[in-house]
């Protein structure tokens, strides 16, 4: 009986026509961005084209000033008089050069302002067009959403739930917590097909999925709204104050930092560690970096061993001084420094923070 009600609900919800537009929206955003980049390139080239002759003209004037020489010391001048005349001459030359530079900079600034204004005018309709797209909420058809309920936390009365959303050419994974009361939990845990998903997504300026509304309807028309939605990760589980994802990332709920779940696995120079972190691409993120000493200290204090794998004791930090750099020792919770060309027992552990795709609170 409940399954019949759930099937009826699926038929009523159907596959909304607007969901078909999400691929077109992504395509349009990317086309707009290409047009914006092309405009930037063209206008930058135009600035260079117009500035070049102006700069050449004033450089020529400046060279003429440099060629002006002072008359040599006369036999009728004392050393003191000559030095005074040289100082006056240098002062006059300096004023002339300063005036030429000011005129040149003013001309170049005027050129830039005019071209920048024209660029803004041409960018404006494209930016408005993109903004209209990013305001839209795209409902995803039921047939394009698959989900799986995971662990049920009886204390918080919520399931871990993972999603896979497929829209023609685009696929996105998501994880969330699904609050369901205890009296219903066993039923839905055994019969997940009784839940009907309702997924809505939005896009950012790059045409990426950045936010969403995820909920479920039960056969009795009851609604369960997901919280703590994270795009880009399928499976999650909680560990103390951390959320561990199946995409090799770990989120610290307290600091908002996202860590790689393991270090680079070998001895490494500081500058190579910096490159390693900045070029790290796990989770689909591009803003990984070396951690600060404070961040490493907080990770150590939080108890990291169960969810972050370190293959040796010491992790480079971003802090440098001349040819040295600081590192944190996880074998005792201390910090030290070493030359940046040192590698012994030193590792790179990428971190990022402040811009992960997180919605709502992890309460």
């Amino acid at each position: 009986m409940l399954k019949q009600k759930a099937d009826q609900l699926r038929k009523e919800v159907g596959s909304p026509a607007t969901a078909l537009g999400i691929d077109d929206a992504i395509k349009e955003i990317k086309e707009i961005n290409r047009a914006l980049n092309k405009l930037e390139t063209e206008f930058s080239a135009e600035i260079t084209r117009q500035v070049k002759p102006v700069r050449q003209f004033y450089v020529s004037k400046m060279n003429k000033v440099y060629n002006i020489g002072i008359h040599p010391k006369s036999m009728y001048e004392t050393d003191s008089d000559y030095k005074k005349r040289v100082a006056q001459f240098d002062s006059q030359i300096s004023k002339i050069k300063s005036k030429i530079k000011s005129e040149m900079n003013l001309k170049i600034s005027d050129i830039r302002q005019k071209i920048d204004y024209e660029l803004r005018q041409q960018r404006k309709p494209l930016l408005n067009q993109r903004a209209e797209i990013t305001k839209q909420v795209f409902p995803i058809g039921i047939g394009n959403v698959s989900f799986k309920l995971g662990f049920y936390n009886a204390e918080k009365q919520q399931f871990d739930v993972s999603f896979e959303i497929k829209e023609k050419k685009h696929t996105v994974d998501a994880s969330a917590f699904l609050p369901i009361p205890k009296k219903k939990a066993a039923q839905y845990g055994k019969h997940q097909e009784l839940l009907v998903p309702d997924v809505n997504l939005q896009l950012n300026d790059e045409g990426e999925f950045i936010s969403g509304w995820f909920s479920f309807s039960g056969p009795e028309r009851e609604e369960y709204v997901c919280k703590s939605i994270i795009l880009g990760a399928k499976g999650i589980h909680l560990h103390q104050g951390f959320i561990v994802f199946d995409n090799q990332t770990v989120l610290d709920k307290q600091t908002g930092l996202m860590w790689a779940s393991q270090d680079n696995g070998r001895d490494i120079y500081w500058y190579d560690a910096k490159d390693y972190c900045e070029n790290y691409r796990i989770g689909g993120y591009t803003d990984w970096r070396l951690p600060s000493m404070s961040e490493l200290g907080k990770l150590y204090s939080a108890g990291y061993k169960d969810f972050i794998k370190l293959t040796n004791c010491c992790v480079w930090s971003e802090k440098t001084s001349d040819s040295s750099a600081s590192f944190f020792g996880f074998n005792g919770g201390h910090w030290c420094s070493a030359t940046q060309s040192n590698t012994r027992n030193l590792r790179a552990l990428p971190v990022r923070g402040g811009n992960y795709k997180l919605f709502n609170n992890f309460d």
Side-chain angles (χ1 to χ4, degrees):
M1 184 64 177
L2 288 176
K3 188 175 186 308
Q4 290 177 348
K5 289 183 177 181
D7 290 340
Q8 178 61 32
L9 186 58
R10 282 188 175 84
K11 289 179 182 178
E12 291 177 13
V13 174
S15 181
T18 49
L20 300 176
I22 198 165
D23 286 285
D24 292 333
I26 293 171
K27 181 180 178 182
E28 188 170 349
I29 287 176
K30 293 187 181 298
E31 287 176 353
I32 290 171
N33 288 341
R34 280 193 289 270
L36 289 169
N37 290 335
K38 185 178 179 182
L39 279 176
E40 293 278 1
T41 301
E42 290 175 350
F43 276 76
S44 178
E46 181 61 19
I47 288 175
T48 301
R49 189 188 70 79
Q50 292 192 29
V51 164
K52 186 177 180 180
V54 173
R55 197 182 297 278
Q56 287 175 339
F57 172 76
Y58 283 100
V59 167
S60 176
K61 287 186 71 173
M62 192 74 75
N63 288 336
K64 290 178 181 178
V65 174
Y66 284 128
N67 291 331
I68 298 174
I70 188 171
H71 292 297
K73 181 177 179 296
S74 165
M75 69 174 69
Y76 303 107
E77 283 182 307
T78 64
D79 288 342
S80 177
D81 290 338
Y82 177 68
K83 288 180 180 178
K84 184 177 180 181
R85 183 161 63 87
V86 169
Q88 290 174 341
F89 176 82
D90 289 343
S91 176
Q92 289 175 343
I93 292 296
S94 179
K95 288 178 181 178
I96 293 171
K97 289 193 293 185
S98 179
K99 184 179 179 181
I100 292 173
K101 285 182 180 179
S102 295
E103 287 180 3
M104 180 181 71
N105 291 335
L106 193 62
K107 290 277 187 182
I108 291 175
S109 176
D110 186 52
I111 290 171
R112 289 184 182 277
Q113 286 180 10
K114 289 179 180 178
I115 294 177
D116 284 345
Y117 174 78
E118 181 61 28
L119 174 60
R120 287 196 300 272
Q121 294 303 109
Q122 293 202 29
R123 280 170 53 88
K124 191 173 182 179
L126 291 171
L127 293 173
N128 289 340
Q129 185 180 352
R130 189 177 67 183
E132 287 301 314
I133 297 172
T134 57
K135 287 178 185 176
Q136 294 182 43
V137 177
F138 296 91
I140 307 300
I142 291 176
N144 298 332
V145 179
S146 58
F147 70 92
K148 182 179 180 180
L149 298 183
F151 175 76
Y152 183 74
N153 186 323
E155 295 296 326
K156 294 190 175 183
Q157 299 189 53
Q158 64 186 22
F159 279 103
D160 296 345
V161 56
S162 58
F163 297 85
E164 185 178 67
I165 301 156
K166 292 184 177 180
E167 274 291 320
K168 294 183 181 177
K169 299 178 182 178
H170 301 92
T171 300
V172 61
D173 296 324
S175 292
F177 296 126
L178 177 61
I180 290 183
K182 291 179 186 178
K183 61 182 180 180
K184 295 276 190 177
Q187 173 182 284
Y188 292 134
K190 294 177 182 178
H191 302 285
Q192 299 183 23
E193 69 277 5
L194 297 178
L195 291 170
V196 180
D198 179 16
V199 174
N200 300 269
L201 293 173
Q202 282 185 282
L203 302 171
N204 66 6
D205 289 345
E206 300 300 321
E208 301 168 332
F209 298 109
I210 57 160
S211 63
W213 171 269
F214 292 58
S215 65
F216 287 89
S217 295
E220 301 297 337
R221 307 286 171 149
E222 71 274 32
E223 185 179 25
Y224 306 106
V225 179
C226 293
K227 66 176 185 176
S228 307
I229 304 161
I230 295 185
L231 302 183
K234 257 188 180 178
I236 58 176
H237 68 273
L238 293 174
H239 182 90
Q240 298 175 10
F242 291 80
I243 300 174
V244 183
F245 302 100
D246 69 349
N247 63 353
Q248 300 177 51
T249 63
V250 178
L251 179 65
D252 185 340
K253 291 163 47 180
Q254 185 67 32
T255 64
L257 295 172
M258 182 175 280
W259 294 89
S261 63
Q262 59 186 28
D263 62 28
N264 66 304
R266 60 179 178 82
D267 290 353
I268 190 169
Y269 298 114
W270 179 86
Y271 32 85
D272 287 340
K274 184 174 183 290
D275 287 343
Y276 175 84
C277 292
E278 291 176 355
N279 289 292
Y280 200 64
R281 292 296 180 265
I282 290 297
Y285 302 107
T286 59
D287 56 347
W288 295 97
R289 57 178 172 79
L290 275 175
S292 68
M293 290 297 292
S294 173
E295 290 166 347
L296 289 168
K298 289 177 181 177
L299 180 64
Y300 173 81
S301 299
Y304 65 94
K305 292 183 179 179
D306 291 334
F307 49 87
I308 291 182
K309 179 183 177 183
L310 296 181
T311 57
N312 216 311
C313 62
C314 302
V315 176
W316 283 117
S317 80
E318 64 180 358
K319 185 178 180 181
T320 61
S321 177
D322 297 326
S323 60
S324 297
S326 298
F327 65 87
F328 192 89
F330 280 81
N331 55 345
H334 59 277
W335 68 272
C336 297
S337 64
T339 60
Q340 295 177 21
S341 59
N342 190 10
T343 65
R344 187 176 179 183
N345 299 332
L346 289 159
R347 299 290 186 266
L349 182 64
V351 70
R352 60 180 297 276
N355 195 31
Y356 50 84
K357 297 169 183 175
L358 168 65
F359 314 101
N360 307 321
N361 295 316
F362 286 92
D363 297 328

